Structure formats: structure tokens, C-alpha cells
Amino acid sequence: MGMPGFQTVECRSSGLIFLLTTIFFGVQPHQHLVTRNTWLCRGILLVFKKYIKSSLEFSMDVLSPVGSFSAWDYVVFAVMLLVSAAIGLYYAYVGRHGSQSSGDFLTGGRSMTAVPVAMSLSASFMSAITVLATPAEVYRYGASYVCYGLAYVIVMATCSEIFLPVFYRLGITSTYQYLEMRFNRATRLFGTALFILQTVLYTGIVIYAPALALNQVTGFDLWGAVISTGVVCTFYCTLGGLKAVVWTDVFQVGIMVAGFLAVIIQSVLRQGGVAVILSDATEGGRLDLLDFDLNPLRRHTFWTITFGGAFVWITVYGINQAQVQRYISCKSLAHAKMSLYVNLLGLWVILVCSVFAGLCLYSIYKHCDPWTTGQISSPDQLMPYLVLDILRGYPGLPGLFVAAAYSGTLSTVSSSINALAAVTVEDLVKPYTDLSETQLSFLSKGLSFVYGAVCIGMAGLASLMGGLLQAAVSIFGVVGGPLLGLFSVGILCPFVNATADSRLPCLISRPLIADSWYSVSYLYFSLIGTLTAVSVAIITSLLSGNRKLNPSAGLTLCKEDLTLYCLLSLLKEKLSSSTGKLDLSGTPEGKTGRNNPAFCSMELSNTYTSFSRPPA
């Protein structure tokens, strides 16, 4: 039974949520928009009404040892979903006039600027699994996780200088278009199929795992949360395309940081200051950051996190469709590179917040571990338990943290849906059909809806076969290394030919040394796969001959793509102009006047011929 007076609060909050939903979905800003999307709006409305009712009734019967969600917590969560859906409606309304091509829908018309794209990249990185699992990792094993800050620097420098210039110059929508340009169509289709399968599996885990953790601690309705987040995400992806995804990510990353800050500030106040938390962490050995042990069997050391972790995230930021699709949507190469470096700041903020939240967990529960005492059933439930423990006296703040966790889910799932639609259209439809741009645009929207439904269904399967599905996701995670190796040799090694890529399928079954070294750190899997793929590709290409292979222009990295080269060239030009001296030795041929229309080699040749020709 619920607490006395809860029935009145339930009725009032349900009325408030119904009013908010009616405001967002009952208005008619434009008849054309409403006519086209009425069925989606009504579906969202019915889901919200049913979800809020079931959630509030459920919370009356299931009480956590430290408290349960109040009506205002559900209001905060519902408002987060409604604002996300409203952004999708806005971009559907803005894009209602004129014909929208599939490129406009999938890449935002390549008109995005650096800052929103950077925030979107950061939000996509931080799923709900990160919000819940990273603090628990720090709580159990220490803050060595902060070494990822250095790994992120390596990742952004590598991606912005090697992969981004080539992809942006080619103007591709799907990353796997590059594989056909550089090697052959079979390689492209192989990469596309692998990405679709891997992404659908991973997205199901991203939706279901945090919902389960939050449900078991807070009583937050499991399937109501899964369905509502999945439906809202599909809604704004289908209506607004990449622009809606990017701007909802901007909103959601703010919610995520706010949720972390609410927990951190209250923890600091409760413990008596930051110094107390750091002192507790030091006494408990949680601040032993720099472990330089070279043993690759160790789970987390400075080397595994910095270099192994760097290769893991290069596979994400360098070649993963969901991330590449964002930064190639920028309006210029400079904006695209800037988005990666601004994103680096976002990653640092998220990393510091999550690590310090883990230290707060340790400081509060160092003498009474909720996991070992049986108050929770898994480490992923530590953060929800802490939230209810320290924020239960502040209605709405526990809901803010849940909104933060599900903002991570929304950002990750929306990225996946948009990326899945992009690779399907570009790799599996366009090369084999003659559809117009308008037809491809409608097909992209339809595919976004279909993939959203598939991801929700995969979350249902995850509830039935969680262990097996987790293993499948781990196996497909190993695939990122060989794929990174394939892209790397294509961009950096002009002599590598299509013969080498035929060896890729035999590399993805397991890492090279897995037969005798099962205990190698999981962070080295991507590094091992990448180095193995690069070695096999180079050796196979050299043995098969054709060493003078010359790929088409633009498919490999050139010195003009490097930021350092451009800066040095600009500096040299500035120095030459400031001294006022003519530097003939370093001046390019095109600037010496030979191509001057008034005095060119063509005229000299004609003049010489006309004056030197002997008379007939």
C-alpha cells in the first residue's frame, strides 16, 4: 500500500502531465504538419498516459529500502521526453516547405557548425551505461579510469588528422562507401552488414540495461521506461533527421551534466567538503592513478587505459558511422576538425564528473557497501541507490538523475537509428535502384521508424537472453580492431591492394593471441585486432606484387591534410611577406608567372614557331 495522501498527489501529477502532453501534442502549429504526423502524436500521447499511470501505481507497491520516486520525479522525467519530442516536431515544421533530399535528412544538408556537433559527439559517447557503470568502476577499482583523459587526446588528434580529412574530402554519407572506392564492393557490403548487426545488438543493451538497474532500485517502471524512451527517440529521428538528433543531443548533454552535478554537490555537502572525499579515497587506495606495470594481463594500468583505450575509441570516432556522420555534416573542414577538439572538452567534463561521482560513492559507503550487504544485486545499481539515499528529501532531483541516465540512452539510440538509416540507404538501396531524392528522403524516414521499432524489440530480447547477448556484443566489439586496421591501411598505405582485404574475415573470429592468452586486458583487443589486420594487409599486398598501385586521387592521406603542415605553410608565407623579400627557391611553380595569360609558355611557343619558320 502507498503512503497516506499519495492518491491526491497521483491525481494532481497525472493531470499536470496530461496538460503538458496536450500542450505539446494538441496544438496545431500548421495544418500540413499535423495532418502528416497525427498518428505519431496520438501514439506518443497514449504511451505517455499509460506509462505515467502505471508508473505511479507501481511505485505505491514497490518501495526501495532507501525510498521511492515521487510524483515530481516522474514530472521531470516526462518533461525531458516531451522537450526531446518537441525538438523533432520543430525541425519537421521547419523542413515542411520544399523537397528535402536524403542527404539533407541524413547529414543535415552539411551545414552544421562546430559547437552543436561537438556536444552531440559528447552526448553520443555518454550512454546510460556510462552514467551508471563508470562511477561503480571507480568505486570498486579506483580512479585510474581518469587516464582516459590522455587517451581522448590521442583519439581526437588521430581522427582529425588522418580519418576526417579523407572522409570529408570525398563527401561520402556512409563510411563504408570508402571501402568500395578503395578496395571493392564486397568489402563495402561486408562492413555494412557487420555494422548493422553490431549496432542493433548494442542498442538493445543500451535501452534495456539501465532500465533494469533503475527499476530494481527505484521501482521506476521497467517497460514503461523502455517503450517511452524508444518511442520518443524514434519519433524525433523520423521527423527531424540529423538536425533534430544533434540539437536534442545538445539539450540532453546539459541534462546529463546537471544530473551528475546534483549528485556530486549533495555528496560534498553531506561529507563536509571535497577534501574529505579525496582523503577517504586516498586512504582507501582509490587515488593510485599511475600504475606503470607493463603486464598486458592486468585489467587496468596506465598503458592499457591510455593506449589500449585509445584504440578502442579510435574505432568509434574514426570509422564508426554514427560519429563520422556527425562531423562530416559540418559546413567546412575547419568546423569539422574544431568539432572534434571542442568535443574533447566535453569528454573531459563527463570523465571528471563520472570519476568524482565514483569517489563520492566510496566516501559515503566505505564502511557499509550496499552490494556486499545485499541491499542491491549488482554494481550498476550503486548510483541509483546513492541518488535515492541522499536526494530523497529534494523532490524532482532523483528524477533529474534518471532523466540524465535516459538522456544518455536517447542520445546513443538516436545516433544509432540515424546511422542505420544512412548506411542502409547509401550502401544497400542507392547502388541498386534509381529512386529520386524525394523518394530516398521518405525511405530514410521510414527506415528510421523501422530501426527504432527493431531496437525496442531487441531490448525485449535482451531481457530474455541477457548473458548471451552481452557475449555477442563483446564479440562484435572485437571486430572494431580489424575494421580499423582495414581503413588505416587504405588511407595510409597506397600500395595495399584489394587482395589484402579478403583476409579480413579470418581475423575477426578471435584476437591473434587468444588461443594461449585468454586473460589479456579487454582494452587490448582492439589494438591486437588493428595491428594484426595491418600486418596481414601489408604482407599480403607485398607478396601479391603490384607494389606500384596508385589509388585514385583523394583516397589516401596527403600532406596538405595535416593541420601542422597548413600552419607551417601559413607561417612561412607570413614571414616572407613581412620581410619583403622574394623567395624564389621556395615559391611554387604556379606563382612564378609562367601561367600568366598575358605571358605564358603557349604564347612563347607560338611566337617562336611563327618567327623561326623558314619561308616557303
Side-chain angles (χ1 to χ4, degrees), residues 140-194:
R140 297 173 65 196
Y141 299 108
S144 60
Y145 204 83
V146 78
C147 293
Y148 263 113
L150 181 58
Y152 294 150
V153 176
I154 300 173
V155 171
M156 298 310 143
T158 302
C159 295
S160 66
E161 298 301 310
I162 296 178
F163 298 100
L164 169 59
V166 176
F167 292 150
Y168 195 91
R169 178 171 59 243
L170 295 174
I172 57 179
T173 299
S174 167
T175 311
Y176 305 102
Q177 289 176 255
Y178 175 81
L179 295 180
E180 181 175 358
M181 295 177 180
R182 182 65 175 84
F183 299 112
N184 52 45
R185 178 164 292 185
T187 308
R188 174 183 181 177
L189 293 176
F190 174 75
T192 300
L194 210 57

Side-chain angles (χ1 to χ4, degrees), residues 401-565:
F401 178 80
V402 171
Y406 278 101
S407 290
T409 296
L410 285 173
S411 63
T412 303
V413 175
S414 62
S415 304
S416 300
I417 291 174
N418 198 254
L420 287 167
V423 298
T424 303
V425 169
E426 294 295 328
D427 298 333
L428 303 180
V429 177
K430 262 190 177 182
Y432 308 101
T433 63
D434 294 322
L435 298 178
S436 66
E437 281 298 324
T438 302
Q439 291 173 320
L440 288 173
S441 176
F442 280 112
L443 179 61
S444 300
K445 295 180 180 181
L447 286 170
S448 296
F449 178 80
V450 170
Y451 279 122
V454 169
C455 291
I456 295 174
M458 188 56 62
L461 290 179
S463 66
L464 302 176
M465 45 188 295
L468 182 59
L469 195 58
Q470 287 277 16
V473 174
S474 300
I475 292 172
F476 283 104
V478 176
V479 174
L483 279 178
L484 176 61
L486 183 60
F487 276 95
S488 298
V489 295
I491 292 174
L492 298 175
C493 304
F495 59 87
V496 171
N497 53 49
T499 305
D501 75 90
S502 63
R503 304 291 186 263
L504 180 63
C506 67
L507 297 177
I508 66 173
S509 57
R510 62 178 62 193
L512 181 65
I513 60 175
D515 287 328
S516 58
W517 218 350
Y518 283 104
S519 299
V520 68
S521 173
Y522 71 99
L523 291 174
Y524 281 142
F525 286 169
S526 182
L527 173 62
I528 294 170
T530 301
L531 295 180
T532 303
V534 170
S535 302
V536 171
I538 291 176
I539 293 173
T540 304
S541 296
L542 292 177
L543 293 179
S544 64
N546 210 8
R547 301 184 185 181
K548 296 183 179 180
L549 180 68
N550 187 21
S552 302
L555 294 179
T556 56
L557 190 70
C558 56
K559 61 182 181 180
E560 289 79 11
D561 292 329
L562 303 177
T563 302
L564 182 60
Y565 177 85

Side-chain angles (χ1 to χ4, degrees), residues 322-387:
Q323 301 294 71
V324 174
Q325 188 174 342
R326 277 165 168 68
Y327 55 68
I328 63 174
S329 69
C330 291
K331 62 183 181 180
S332 68
L333 181 60
H335 274 270
K337 287 191 174 185
M338 190 184 302
S339 70
L340 282 174
Y341 289 114
V342 174
N343 159 71
L344 178 61
L345 300 177
L347 295 183
W348 282 342
V349 170
I350 294 169
L351 180 64
V352 170
C353 287
S354 59
V355 169
F356 194 76
L359 297 179
C360 292
L361 267 172
Y362 180 78
S363 179
I364 293 174
Y365 297 126
K366 60 182 182 295
H367 298 308
C368 183
D369 184 5
W371 186 30
T372 57
T373 56
Q375 298 178 67
I376 56 175
S377 58
S378 73
D380 290 341
Q381 299 171 9
L382 281 166
M383 277 300 287
Y385 185 90
L386 174 68
V387 167

Side-chain angles (χ1 to χ4, degrees), residues 17-29 34 37-38 40-46 48 78 81-86 89 232 235 239:
I17 294 167
F18 181 83
L19 176 62
L20 290 172
T21 310
T22 305
I23 290 173
F24 275 98
F25 296 109
V27 295
Q28 297 184 4
V34 173
N37 301 312
T38 297
L40 281 172
C41 295
R42 289 177 178 173
I44 296 290
L45 176 59
L46 291 174
F48 279 155
L81 293 179
L82 289 169
V83 172
S84 299
L89 278 175
V232 169
F235 177 77
L239 292 184

